[in-house]
C-alpha cells in the first residue's frame, strides 16, 4: 500500500484515498523531511514548500497541489528527480471571477459610473483573467488585456502593452503566476514605476500572488494620492501581513478570492484524478459528493449580478473581519465558509 502525506486543510479529501493508501494528514506549514521520507506521494497547498530541503532522500514520486499556483514547488528539482507534479490549474477561476465581479460592482456603486464609462485592465489572461475579461466585456466595460507570453504566441490577439493598459485603465486587476526570473518575471512587477504609470485615481486589485506587488511602493502610491483605492487578497509574507497596508486598503481579504465550494472540489478532484492515473488507482473521474458543479451563466446581466452578488459574497464583511483580527489571517483562511459559484 502506498503512503501519502497530505495537507489536512484540503477540503473533500479525507476518506477518499484511505481504501488504497496509508494517509497521513498534517498542517501544511508543518510537513517536514521526516514526514515525507517514506512517503510515495504528497498532496499539498501553497503553504508547503516542495524543494530539495523537503524532498532530498525521500521516496516521493508524485507531488499534487490542489491550487492553481505552483511557485511553492521546485519544478526543476522534481523534473531532475523524476517526480511527477500535478496542479489544479483553473480549478477556482470562477470563484476569483466572482470576487472581482464584487469589486467591480462596488467600484461602480462608489463612483456612480456605469460599466460603459469604465475601462478595466486585465494583466494576465489565463484561466482567471480570460473569464474576467469575457464577463466584464459582456457587462459593458471597456476591457484592455496585457499578457506578454500570450502576445508572443498569439500576435493576432488584441493585447496591449503594460504601459498602455496602466495609463488608460480605471481599474487594474492582476491575474499572473509568480515568476521570479526571466523575461516574463512577475515578482515585484507592480513597483514604483508601475504605480506612476497608472491613471490618477485608478484602483488596483491583486488576487494573484502577494509578491507580484511591491507593497512599499503600493503604500507610497496610496499616501501620495495616486490611487483611488486598492483591493488586496494576496499578500507578501502571509500570514504575517503588512498591517499598515491593510489599514490603507479599500478592502483586504485573507487570500480567499478563489475559495468557493466548486473551486475547492475541483482542486481536490483534479489532484485525485492525477494521482489515480499515476498509481493506477480506480478513482479517475472522482468528484466530491454533495457539491453541484457550476453551470456557467453567460446571460447574467450587469444589473442582476449587482443585485445578487452580495448574497453570495459580502466583500465588506470579509474585509471588516480581517481588519478586526489580522493576527488570525491563517485561521480565517483555513476556516473560511466556502461560497457557492452561481455564474
Amino acid at each position: 500500500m502506498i503512503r501519502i502525506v497530505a495537507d489536512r486543510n484540503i477540503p473533500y479529501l479525507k476518506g477518499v484515498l484511505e481504501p488504497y493508501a496509508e494517509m497521513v494528514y498534517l498542517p501544511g506549514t508543518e510537513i517536514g523531511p521526516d514526514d515525507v521520507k517514506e512517503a510515495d506521494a504528497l498532496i499539498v497547498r501553497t503553504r508547503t514548500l516542495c524543494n530539495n530541503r523537503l524532498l532530498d532522500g525521500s521516496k516521493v514520486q508524485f507531488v499534487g497541489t490542489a491550487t492553481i499556483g505552483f511557485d511553492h514547488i521546485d519544478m526543476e528539482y522534481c523534473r531532475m528527480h523524476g517526480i511527477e507534479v500535478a496542479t489544479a490549474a483553473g480549478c477556482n477561476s470562477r470563484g476569483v471571477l466572482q470576487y472581482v465581479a464584487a469589486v467591480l460592482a462596488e467600484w461602480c456603486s462608489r463612483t456612480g459610473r456605469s460599466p460603459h464609462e469604465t475601462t478595466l485592465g486585465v494583466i494576465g489572461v489565463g484561466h482567471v483573467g480570460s473569464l474576467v475579461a469575457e464577463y466584464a466585456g459582456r457587462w459593458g466595460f471597456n476591457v484592455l488585456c496585457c499578457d506578454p507570453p500570450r502576445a508572443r504566441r498569439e500576435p493576432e490577439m488584441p493585447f496591449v502593452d503594460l504601459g498602455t493598459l496602466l495609463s488608460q485603465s480605471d481599474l487594474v486587476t492582476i491575474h499572473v503566476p509568480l515568476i521570479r526570473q526571466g523575461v516574463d518575471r512577475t515578482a515585484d512587477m507592480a513597483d514604483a514605476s508601475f504605480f506612476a504609470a497608472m491613471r490618477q485615481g485608478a484602483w488596483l486589485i491583486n488576487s494573484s500572488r502577494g509578491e507580484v506587488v511591491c507593497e512599499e511602493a503600493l503604500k507610497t502610491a496610496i499616501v501620495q494620492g495616486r490611487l483611488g483605492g486598492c483591493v488586496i487578497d494576496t499578500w507578501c509574507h502571509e500570514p504575517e501581513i503588512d498591517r499598515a497596508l491593510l489599514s490603507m486598503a479599500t478592502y483586504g481579504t485573507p487570500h480567499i478570492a478563489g475559495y468557493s465550494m466548486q473551486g475547492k472540489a475541483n482542486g481536490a478532484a483534479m489532484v485525485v484524478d492525477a494521482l489515480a492515473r499515476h498509481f493506477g488507482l480506480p478513482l479517475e473521474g472522482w468528484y466530491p459528493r454533495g457539491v453541484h458543479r457550476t453551470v456557467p451563466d453567460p446571460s447574467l446581466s450587469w444589473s442582476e449580478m449587482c443585485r445578487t452578488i452580495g448574497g453570495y459574497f459580502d466583500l465588506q464583511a470579509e474585509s471588516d473581519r480581517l481588519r478586526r483580527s489580522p493576527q488570525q489571517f491563517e485561521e480565517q483562511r483555513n476556516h473560511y465558509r466556502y461560497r457557492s459559484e452561481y455564474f
Side-chain angles (χ1 to χ4, degrees), residues 35-46:
D35 302 307
V36 309
K37 187 175 182 180
E38 298 301 322
D40 299 287
L42 302 181
I43 302 178
V44 301
R45 299 185 305 154
T46 56

Side-chain angles (χ1 to χ4, degrees), residues 271-293:
V271 170
V272 168
D273 187 76
L275 185 142
R277 284 185 279 106
H278 183 93
F279 290 102
L281 306 180
L283 287 168
E284 292 185 49
W286 170 83
Y287 198 80
R289 290 181 180 178
V291 180
H292 300 289
R293 296 177 189 263

Side-chain angles (χ1 to χ4, degrees), residues 44-46 65-70 72 86-89 91 209 264 267 271:
V44 301
R45 299 185 305 154
T46 56
T65 181
T67 62
I68 61 173
F70 52 86
H72 54 296
T87 74
C91 67
R209 284 291 182 266
K264 290 300 179 183
V271 170

Side-chain angles (χ1 to χ4, degrees), residues 150-179:
R150 283 194 62 187
R152 292 195 299 271
R153 297 193 304 268
E154 306 167 68
E156 72 283 0
M157 295 295 289
F159 295 117
V160 301
D161 62 77
L162 183 60
T164 298
L165 182 146
L166 294 175
S167 66
Q168 296 184 16
S169 297
D170 300 298
L171 300 100
V172 174
T173 184
I174 302 176
H175 303 288
V176 299
L178 177 61
I179 301 173

Side-chain angles (χ1 to χ4, degrees), residues 48-121:
T48 305
L49 298 179
C50 299
N51 52 23
N52 65 305
R53 290 188 292 277
L54 180 68
L55 298 171
D56 270 353
S58 75
K59 294 170 54 181
V60 172
Q61 57 181 280
F62 176 93
V63 174
T65 181
T67 62
I68 61 173
F70 52 86
D71 48 277
H72 54 296
I73 300 174
D74 188 332
M75 301 294 282
E76 181 62 16
Y77 176 94
C78 290
R79 186 190 66 79
M80 292 179 61
H81 290 80
I83 299 172
E84 180 182 347
V85 175
T87 74
C91 67
N92 65 355
S93 54
R94 286 191 178 271
V96 181
L97 163 67
Q98 291 172 31
Y99 180 97
V100 174
V103 179
L104 297 182
E106 185 62 26
W107 154 269
C108 287
S109 175
R110 282 180 173 235
T111 62
R113 291 165 63 176
S114 71
H116 293 88
E117 301 171 293
T118 305
T119 297
L120 173 68

Side-chain angles (χ1 to χ4, degrees), residues 7 28-30 44-49 72 238-239 254-255 329-330 333-334:
D7 185 318
T29 55
E30 296 178 16
V44 301
R45 299 185 305 154
T46 56
R47 292 300 190 247
T48 305
L49 298 179
H72 54 296
E238 294 178 10
H255 201 152
F329 184 99
E330 198 74 350
R333 188 177 188 228
N334 288 338

